[in-house]
Amino acid sequence: MFIDWYIPHGGNSKVNKDGNSAILTLNYAYTLKNAANIMDWLGYRAKAKVYRDLGQKYAEVTRKLCFDSTKGIYADDPEKTFYDQRASVLAVLCGAHSEEENKVLMETMLDDNTHFDSEANLFYLSYLFEAMEKTGAGDFIKELQPWKDIINMGMSGTPEKRIEQHPRSEIHPWTAHPVHYYFSIVAGITPGKSLLKISFKYL
């Protein structure tokens, strides 16, 4: 059930321990979408369709239950008692909204005036950066502030948690993802399909 490092609730939001979690459901939908892409690449079209349709189903159900059209963001629970940025991020990535709606959701989510009961931590910002890349919304340099703080602290590696959370590990790979997104978002460098085929061929 671990999602992310919460302050001070450990790895789970306070509303998802008994299920009915938008974050966990959308994460499943996101996984199914990616699995469908892999199946397509491998040539298993029927299996890909099963995964894609199932992922879309969960995305649409979660939107119906947890999207607050007044606030323009997601709650983590159908009762809408806990608004978690992570759910809105995943909704952008798993097909819960149209492209135009995704841009509006991202703009609302990244607006400093939008209140969330909890926001994505270091490792979960990987999903945020992916959503920014997908929609073209947001300021990547601004979102890199936690890593600037890491450098200012004199660290030479990426910690497991934010500085204020007293990270128990100062060399943790899951917060090194800005290296990838710097090239893809800032420099616009992404692998071509032909390169992917070559790399897989010689693995």
Side-chain angles (χ1 to χ4, degrees):
M1 293 291 286
F2 179 89
I3 290 178
D4 192 1
W5 287 117
Y6 286 78
I7 304 176
H9 301 292
N12 301 81
S13 77
K14 64 181 182 180
V15 298
N16 71 10
K17 293 181 179 179
D18 297 320
N20 294 326
S21 167
I23 297 172
L24 293 175
T25 306
L26 291 173
N27 201 304
Y28 181 46
Y30 170 78
T31 303
L32 287 166
K33 179 180 177 181
N34 284 305
N37 292 337
I38 294 172
M39 291 296 104
D40 268 334
W41 190 87
L42 292 171
Y44 298 110
R45 311 297 181 201
K47 179 65 73 174
K49 185 178 187 307
V50 170
Y51 287 164
R52 189 168 286 114
D53 290 347
L54 188 58
Q56 189 64 36
K57 171 186 173 182
Y58 281 112
E60 291 175 359
V61 168
T62 305
R63 174 177 177 167
K64 179 180 179 181
L65 294 175
C66 298
F67 180 65
D68 189 324
S69 58
T70 301
K71 294 179 181 291
I73 55 176
Y74 276 75
D76 190 26
D77 57 325
E79 293 75 23
K80 299 182 175 65
T81 64
F82 190 79
Y83 289 84
D84 196 312
Q85 184 190 37
R86 299 165 185 83
S88 294
V89 171
L90 289 173
V92 170
L93 296 176
C94 71
H97 298 263
S98 67
E99 289 186 15
E100 186 174 326
E101 290 171 336
N102 275 338
K103 291 181 180 179
V104 174
L105 176 54
M106 285 294 293
E107 289 170 0
T108 302
M109 178 173 37
L110 294 171
D111 189 328
D112 291 336
N113 295 315
T114 299
H115 171 73
F116 285 100
D117 296 307
S118 182
E119 297 187 2
N121 207 323
L122 291 179
F123 108 86
Y124 220 92
L125 287 175
S126 173
Y127 295 107
L128 176 64
F129 295 159
E130 185 180 346
M132 290 169 61
E133 185 177 45
K134 178 178 180 178
T135 60
D139 183 345
F140 182 67
I141 303 302
K142 175 186 174 185
E143 301 303 329
L144 283 179
Q145 186 58 50
W147 284 269
K148 295 178 185 178
D149 295 338
I150 290 168
I151 293 172
N152 292 336
M153 285 286 292
M155 290 185 174
S156 59
T158 52
E160 181 177 0
K161 298 184 278 186
R162 290 181 186 269
I163 301 301
E164 63 269 26
Q165 292 177 298
H166 306 293
R168 61 186 179 185
S169 168
E170 293 184 1
I171 301 294
H172 213 76
W174 72 6
T175 53
H177 50 80
V179 175
H180 165 75
Y181 287 106
Y182 178 83
F183 284 97
S184 64
I185 295 179
V186 178
I189 300 172
T190 56
K193 291 182 180 179
S194 58
L195 291 177
L196 283 174
K197 289 181 180 178
I198 291 172
S199 63
F200 276 109
K201 179 179 178 181
Y202 291 101
L203 281 179

